[in-house]
Amino acid sequence: MAGRLLAISDLHVGYPENRAYADALAPADPADWLIVAGDVGEVFGDVGFVLASLTRRFAKVIWTPGNHELWTLPSDPVALRGVARYAALVKTCQRFGVLTPEDDFPVWDGPGGPVTVAPLFTLYDYSFRPDSPVTSAPAAAAPGAAGQAADPVAVVLAAIDQAVPADTTPADTRLADGGQAGGRQAAVAAARQAGISPADEGRLHADPYPSVAAWCRDRVAVSERRLAAVDGPVVLVSHWPLLRAPVAALRRQAFAPWCGTTLTAGWHRRHGVLAAVYGHLHIPRTTHIDGVRFEEVSVGYPREWRRRGTAPPPPRVILGD
């Protein structure tokens, strides 16, 4: 197997320039895999359409959610919240062959392999203290029979089905609340004092969990159990950085509590990690911590990538030439 293991995140396709960039993403080799580490967009249909389209171009697409996919906006026809929204996103991905944190971890057998690729969904719990060291969706279909409104998820799936034909190629020929309430209150107060309003508050809901921190704790526990069963080298993929150190690069440290959890701080040392891929910070770069390569693969907003060049950054090569 030839090809490369590529990674990108924070496509934010609600911006026309970013949507055009996402629509033009293409492999250099038919065997290329693409990791999409969250924040494709905010509108359910946009997220599903972009990911489904990428599966028609790349040999394998691996996705893990960011905070923006989990937002529930008044303008989105899919009004699901919290766990139900995440489950519907996973269902949409699985329908089109996109691998998610709920699927078996794939093994990259190309150059540098075999290596397990582990997409993780961990969220944040406000434990990264600010003072710590260190385009629109496809058109909706008509209402259902007897005047009843159609299921919005079904409407989106049907629209994507029509726009992105099913791949008929045979498969074998395809290349935590508990004490965190105070943490949230302190984080929000500090953010307001700094003059910022974290957009997740009021948009990202944790239903049926009592808080995002409680949902985070559960997701961390699930991820730890799955990683414990991995044998051999692994590439960790998450939207949020797995430790506090990368967050030190943020110009406005009041955003830090929304950037991860200290519960994942030792994972890069315990699991035979070749590389840790993340996004969220919109500071694309390569760093090394404890001898492990950390790759932030964000595209970011147009105003951000234009400061760095004339075009969005290309997908980062994680393995392969």
Side-chain angles (χ1 to χ4, degrees):
M1 177 180 175
R4 302 169 299 165
L5 179 63
L6 306 171
I8 201 162
S9 75
D10 297 83
L11 287 167
H12 293 293
V13 299
Y15 291 87
E17 306 96 313
N18 286 30
R19 180 60 179 264
Y21 171 70
D23 289 344
L25 283 173
D29 188 293
D32 285 353
W33 289 18
L34 182 66
I35 293 166
V36 184
D39 276 10
V40 174
E42 297 81 25
V43 177
F44 191 101
D46 286 346
V47 175
F49 183 84
V50 168
L51 291 173
S53 298
L54 290 171
T55 65
R56 304 282 76 83
R57 289 174 253 155
F58 289 86
K60 197 177 293 293
V61 176
I62 302 163
W63 167 82
T64 189
N67 49 313
H68 283 242
E69 284 102 336
L70 300 174
W71 286 3
T72 303
L73 301 180
S75 58
D76 193 339
V78 178
L80 296 171
R81 293 162 54 119
V83 173
R85 187 173 188 86
Y86 173 59
L89 286 164
V90 168
K91 176 182 177 183
T92 300
C93 286
Q94 291 174 337
R95 182 187 186 112
F96 296 102
V98 178
L99 295 179
T100 78
E102 308 310 309
D103 296 301
D104 291 340
F105 293 156
V107 176
W108 167 258
D109 283 322
V115 176
T116 298
V117 181
L120 308 170
F121 171 34
T122 55
L123 277 167
Y124 54 87
D125 62 1
Y126 308 97
S127 58
F128 284 0
R129 304 301 190 199
D131 55 353
S132 295
V134 213
T135 313
S136 64
Q148 296 179 347
D151 173 8
V153 175
V155 169
V156 169
L157 287 174
I160 298 173
D161 267 332
Q162 184 175 9
V164 184
D167 186 357
T168 57
T169 306
D172 59 357
T173 64
R174 298 177 188 157
L175 295 182
D177 193 32
Q180 291 300 328
R184 175 186 174 276
Q185 292 168 2
V188 171
R192 287 175 178 164
Q193 187 174 12
I196 63 176
S197 299
D200 283 1
E201 300 298 318
R203 292 182 174 93
L204 196 162
H205 306 281
D207 313 23
Y209 290 92
S211 67
V212 172
W215 192 8
C216 169
R217 275 205 320 278
D218 192 45
R219 290 303 316 180
V220 167
V222 168
S223 300
E224 283 194 303
R225 287 195 297 270
R226 296 202 63 194
L227 286 174
V230 174
D231 185 22
V234 62
V235 170
L236 300 182
V237 179
S238 60
H239 178 68
W240 295 271
L242 294 176
L243 66 170
R244 177 65 171 81
V247 183
L250 278 180
R251 182 172 60 88
R252 307 187 77 173
Q253 285 294 300
F255 280 120
W258 289 266
C259 292
T261 171
T262 56
L263 295 173
T264 60
W267 287 6
H268 66 292
R269 295 191 301 267
R270 298 204 309 262
H271 297 290
V273 177
L274 289 185
V277 174
Y278 67 97
H280 191 64
L281 304 181
H282 295 195
I283 308 173
R285 59 183 183 150
T286 301
T287 55
H288 290 81
I289 301 172
D290 298 325
V292 175
R293 177 166 53 112
F294 281 74
E295 297 280 5
E296 176 165 356
V297 296
S298 302
V299 171
Y301 304 127
R303 67 178 183 272
E304 293 169 328
W305 54 256
R306 284 190 178 122
R307 288 199 294 264
R308 298 186 290 264
T310 58
R316 191 79 51 84
V317 178
I318 307 302
L319 293 172
D321 297 326

